[in-house]
Structures are given as C-alpha cells and as structure tokens.
Amino acid sequence: GGVMLTKPLLFTLIFAPLALGQSDRVKQGHLGMDASIRPGCPNAMQVEPVVIYNVSGGTLLGPVQYHLVVYNNGMAAFARPADDPREGAQPVAAVIHLSINEVNQLVADLRRCDADALCDQEAYVTDCPLQTLTIMEGRPDAVAHTFSYWAGIGSYAGVASVMDNFVESYFAEL
C-alpha cells in the first residue's frame, strides 16, 4: 500500500516540471508547430536573423534587386546584382558588423511602425519594386511576420522610411 502512494508522488515530482516547461513552449509557439512534441533547440551559435528585407522589381530606370539580412549578433549582409539601375553598378555583396544597440534600434523602429502587424499591401503599383520585410524574434524557433508592399505610403510609410534610411546609412557607398 505505502509503495503505491510513493510511486505516484515520485512520478508527479519528477515529471510535473517537465510538463510545465512543455506547456510554456506551446504558448510561445514554434511557427505553428506543436512544441509539446518537439523540444526546443539549444542556442549554441546565437546568430539568428531579426530582419530580412528584399526589394525586387522594375522601375522606369530599370530593374532593382537587393537583399538584406540583419542578425541578432550585429552582422548585416547585403547583396545586389549587377542589374542595378545605377550606371556602372557592379554586383555587390557585403557584410558589416553593427552594435547590438543598432540592431535593437532597427527592430524597435520597425515595431513602432507596426512591422510586426502589417499585412500585404492590397494595391498594385506599377514602376515600383516589391518590398518584402520579415521581422523575427531573434532566437531559435522564433515566430516571424512577413508582409510585402509596393509603395511606402499610408500604413507602409514608416516601415519604408526606416528601411530606406537604414540601407542608405550603412550601404549607400555600395
């Protein structure tokens, strides 16, 4: 009799913390997957993207294409093919290192402009490249939000301004 009471008590003491930890992971979400069936990953590298920004399409001056990824450790990677409309432009790929404060400021500025809540712009605009922005939490298994817009007007004006200023500040000479 006494042994039977001990086993359930031991079971509860051992497995209750694990069950509580699993329910916390389910609340955090893992890109729509049930985290209770998959444990979280250890963060050995600590190099997760926080912003992915892609600009792609045609303008009156010609095609525009570039890609930017900003990571939580301060690394920012920028790439542009040779078909940039600026005369004499060559393909460019560059990696710079930002301070953690600069990364946090970019993310905070984008969140202030509702980048984590905006939906795709419903209007189609000709002669403007499509701009697609993904903002993430900067941790393994983080939730991300992606949206696209043609013109930085209305609800998209703030995001367009933040990203234009960021690219101009850090990659204008490329």
Side-chain angles (χ1 to χ4, degrees), residues 7-52:
K7 285 182 182 178
L9 180 59
L10 279 174
F11 182 83
T12 302
L13 290 174
I14 292 171
F15 292 104
L18 295 175
L20 289 174
Q22 295 236 342
S23 69
D24 287 345
R25 277 186 253 150
V26 171
K27 287 180 198 170
Q28 291 173 359
H30 283 55
L31 301 178
M33 301 164 108
D34 183 357
S36 66
I37 61 172
R38 186 174 122 253
C41 299
N43 193 3
M45 298 299 152
Q46 297 185 12
V47 181
E48 290 80 30
V50 292
V51 174
I52 300 174

Side-chain angles (χ1 to χ4, degrees), residues 66-86:
Y66 64 87
H67 187 75
L68 169 69
V69 182
V70 179
Y71 295 86
N72 63 348
N73 70 345
M75 184 173 65
F78 179 88
R80 183 192 73 225
D83 61 358
D84 188 85
R86 295 179 291 182

Side-chain angles (χ1 to χ4, degrees), residues 53-68 78-87 89-92 125-132 149-150 163-164 167-168 174:
Y53 183 57
N54 190 67
V55 178
S56 179
T59 70
L60 292 173
L61 299 174
V64 174
Q65 173 73 43
Y66 64 87
H67 187 75
L68 169 69
F78 179 88
R80 183 192 73 225
D83 61 358
D84 188 85
R86 295 179 291 182
E87 190 172 318
Q90 296 296 313
V92 171
V125 180
T126 59
D127 297 326
C128 288
L130 182 65
Q131 299 170 66
T132 302
Y149 61 96
W150 296 99
M163 292 312 300
D164 289 346
V167 170
E168 184 67 27
L174 299 180

Side-chain angles (χ1 to χ4, degrees), residues 81-165:
D83 61 358
D84 188 85
R86 295 179 291 182
E87 190 172 318
Q90 296 296 313
V92 171
V95 174
I96 63 169
H97 295 280
L98 307 167
S99 72
I100 301 303
N101 288 339
E102 289 169 308
V103 172
N104 291 339
Q105 187 64 55
L106 173 63
V107 172
D109 290 347
L110 288 169
R111 289 188 192 282
R112 250 190 307 284
C113 298
D114 293 327
D116 51 357
L118 286 170
C119 298
D120 289 344
Q121 192 175 46
E122 293 182 17
Y124 177 80
V125 180
T126 59
D127 297 326
C128 288
L130 182 65
Q131 299 170 66
T132 302
L133 185 110
T134 301
I135 187 166
M136 292 170 270
E137 296 173 342
R139 59 183 176 78
D141 300 323
V143 175
H145 180 75
T146 300
F147 65 96
S148 297
Y149 61 96
W150 296 99
I153 57 175
S155 301
Y156 304 89
V159 169
S161 177
V162 168
M163 292 312 300
D164 289 346
N165 289 338

